[in-house]
Amino acid sequence: MDGNERLSYTGLLQKRMEPGEPLEVSADSRTWRGAFVSGLCRYRLKDIFTWHLLKVMAMGQALSMLICGTAITCQYLAESKVETPMLQSFLNYGLLLLTYTTMLACRKGDENILQILKTKWWKYFLLGLADVEANYTVVKAYQFTTLTSIQLLDCFVIPVLMVLSWIFLKTRYRMVHYVAVGICLLGVGAMVGADLLAGRDQGSTSDVLLGDGLVLISAALYAVSNVCQEYTVKNLSRTEFLGMMGLFGTLISGIQLSILEHKAVAVITWDWTIVLLFATYGLCMFALYSCMPVVMKLTSATAVNLSLLTADLFSLFCGLFLFHYTFSGLYIVSFVVITVGFIMFNAVPTFTPVPAAESNEGGSESPTDEDDGEKPESALELPSDESQQEEGAESVHIGMQWEESEQQTQTAEKRYSSTKI
């Protein structure tokens, strides 16, 4: 066996690689390609379906179930000929007043309710007015337009929210967020189509134009209220927001109740069923208002409203047993489509500037709140220092292997030259 044959047999005679020439791997390329694709898929799913995302999804659906509870109680109250939306809202704001406004009154220093009212009372008054009228106008719209119109036009809150968040909160969205919103709206369209096929186009048609206008006004007011809520809970305090909402919401709804619904309240036939329905509605709304700031601090106002799109579906599922609604497979399709859109929206984080701790007119307030359990975090976690170190170590390892390969090539050439001589 001569020198060339010996070197070829032992594998020491290697081809010198030109600059830019790809490295040849002896393993089957299909095996490497399959392993790469499999690892890439596992990496993406691991980053997307994080514990944070699953927690946000669960909390969002819990909020939808609370809205479902309010819808069911409203349906039973309507069957009992009780139509007092302002009284129902007054109960919710009253519970907020007793709980969170009392907590503010017990605080000392700049976080005391008196200090807050001195500097920001008019801001919270406008916020409370927007929230109260948003609740009232959407309920009033049922007297003039159909359920289909309300379900469709109520989605107007999402684009308004995105515009307001872009302007005031400096939130920047990516293309995937707009696609995700479009997918969620397609899910709502499937739900409305199922309602039409099942003959559930309830409501009135006495003045459709007025009713549709009320829904749009309600959506715009909800958007304003939610943007202000997101700013407050992320920069100031959840307790401050709910306390001020309870104070001014009770004041405004109480005045409006005494003017518009005093006759309707007087003719109610009170029994234990009516009392239980009012209590259930008030508790569901109180829990909704108390928990929504927590979810909103973890995500955003837009993400919370996307998760609330499934509330009508939960109401429909409950209505199958309670009110004997007709089932349609489009309801399942709608739920799946909305869920996929919600996951897409939260899988890629939006960009929002981190607020700096600034001194306000009434004193400095920390952007964190003791009664808020967790700090907000993005759904898609950025690579940690450990992962970056692992990637760097892997790159160094590959470089060392490449250097060893070149050294072996040079050694083989020297041996070949000496053998030839």
Side-chain angles (χ1 to χ4, degrees), residues 296-317:
M296 197 170 292
K297 189 171 184 177
L298 294 175
T299 55
S300 64
T302 305
V304 170
N305 279 270
L306 288 177
S307 67
L308 296 182
L309 293 177
T310 58
D312 290 334
L313 290 171
F314 285 123
S315 300
L316 293 171
F317 293 149

Side-chain angles (χ1 to χ4, degrees), residues 126-127 130-135 137 153-166 168-169 173 214-232 241 245 289 292 296 300-302 305 308:
L126 295 177
L127 178 59
D131 194 76
V132 171
E133 299 309 322
N135 291 325
T137 51
L153 296 176
D154 196 42
C155 298
F156 181 66
V157 65
I158 295 175
V160 176
L161 261 175
M162 297 181 73
V163 172
L164 294 178
S165 298
W166 180 285
F168 296 103
L169 302 182
Y173 301 98
L214 290 176
V215 177
L216 294 177
I217 293 174
S218 173
L221 292 175
Y222 271 129
V224 173
S225 175
N226 287 343
V227 168
C228 295
Q229 180 177 354
E230 179 180 353
Y231 176 83
T232 305
F241 171 80
M245 185 65 67
Y289 271 68
M292 185 178 289
M296 197 170 292
S300 64
T302 305
N305 279 270
L308 296 182

Side-chain angles (χ1 to χ4, degrees), residues 35-109:
F36 174 76
V37 172
S38 177
L40 184 61
C41 292
R42 287 197 301 267
Y43 177 78
R44 287 180 176 176
L45 291 177
K46 180 181 179 181
D47 285 345
I48 293 175
F49 291 96
T50 60
W51 169 246
H52 173 76
L53 177 59
L54 296 177
K55 179 173 60 176
V56 169
M57 288 179 60
M59 296 175 72
Q61 297 312 301
L63 296 180
S64 295
M65 291 181 182
L66 290 173
I67 295 180
C68 171
T70 62
I72 293 174
T73 53
C74 286
Q75 182 70 22
Y76 278 117
L77 287 172
E79 292 180 354
S80 302
K81 306 300 180 182
V82 177
E83 297 182 357
T84 55
M86 193 53 61
L87 174 61
Q88 296 165 217
S89 297
F90 179 79
L91 294 176
N92 169 47
Y93 293 120
L95 291 175
L96 294 177
L97 174 70
L98 294 176
T99 305
Y100 296 102
T101 309
T102 303
M103 293 173 61
L104 285 181
C106 296
R107 288 184 173 183
K108 299 180 180 179

Side-chain angles (χ1 to χ4, degrees), residues 100 103-104 107 237-244 369 371:
Y100 296 102
M103 293 173 61
L104 285 181
R107 288 184 173 183
S237 166
R238 166 178 169 266
T239 303
E240 177 178 331
F241 171 80
L242 293 175
M244 292 294 100
D369 190 12
D371 51 11

Side-chain angles (χ1 to χ4, degrees), residues 400-413:
M400 293 175 63
Q401 289 182 342
W402 181 267
E403 293 178 357
E404 291 177 0
S405 176
E406 288 185 343
Q407 291 176 1
Q408 290 178 357
T409 302
Q410 295 175 0
T411 304
E413 289 178 352

Side-chain angles (χ1 to χ4, degrees), residues 116-181:
I116 297 174
L117 289 175
K118 286 180 180 179
T119 57
K120 295 176 286 189
W121 68 270
W122 63 273
K123 298 179 182 179
Y124 284 113
F125 174 79
L126 295 177
L127 178 59
L129 180 64
D131 194 76
V132 171
E133 299 309 322
N135 291 325
Y136 179 76
T137 51
V138 70
V139 175
K140 196 69 176 178
Y142 282 92
Q143 301 179 11
F144 303 102
T145 189
T146 61
L147 176 64
T148 301
S149 297
I150 293 176
Q151 289 176 329
L152 287 175
L153 296 176
D154 196 42
C155 298
F156 181 66
V157 65
I158 295 175
V160 176
L161 261 175
M162 297 181 73
V163 172
L164 294 178
S165 298
W166 180 285
I167 296 174
F168 296 103
L169 302 182
K170 308 302 180 184
T171 303
R172 295 299 178 259
Y173 301 98
R174 301 180 183 179
M175 181 57 64
V176 66
H177 297 117
Y178 298 107
V179 174
V181 170

Side-chain angles (χ1 to χ4, degrees), residues 147-152 155 185-198 201 312-313 316 330-331 334:
L147 176 64
T148 301
S149 297
I150 293 176
Q151 289 176 329
L152 287 175
C155 298
L185 296 181
L186 286 178
V188 175
M191 177 182 63
V192 172
D195 289 341
L196 294 176
L197 293 176
D201 194 17
D312 290 334
L313 290 171
L316 293 171
L330 286 176
Y331 292 144
S334 175

